[in-house]
Amino acid sequence: MSKTTVSANQAESAMASHADAIGHGNSPAAWTCVIVMLVGALVASIAFVIASTPIFIGGIAVMVIGLIVGWAMRKAGYGVGGSKLQNNGH
């Protein structure tokens, strides 16, 4: 174990401050991804309770589709800082 000490200033500079923007993914791509995945989780949960394997697998597939839709929307410019969301003065 190291015997070196860290001063309070060094520790504070190493940590992110609360003023730093951490980017919570507040974008159409993120919201669409989450909503589609929530629907898939709901379908899979109901299928689990009623013991229906095909519907459960369908719910899991909807969740995977949600990930793909979110990724595609981000690539299309609807993610955080995307080209479709920037204000161009109009």
Side-chain angles (χ1 to χ4, degrees), residues 35-87:
I35 290 170
V36 172
M37 290 182 71
L38 282 173
V39 169
L42 176 66
V43 170
S45 298
I46 292 170
F48 184 80
V49 170
I50 64 173
S52 175
T53 302
I55 297 174
F56 179 78
I57 292 171
I60 300 297
V62 170
M63 288 193 284
V64 171
I65 290 169
L67 283 173
I68 294 168
V69 167
W71 175 80
M73 286 182 70
R74 186 185 73 183
K75 291 295 183 184
Y78 291 101
V80 174
S83 62
K84 304 286 184 176
L85 301 179
Q86 294 176 354
N87 186 1

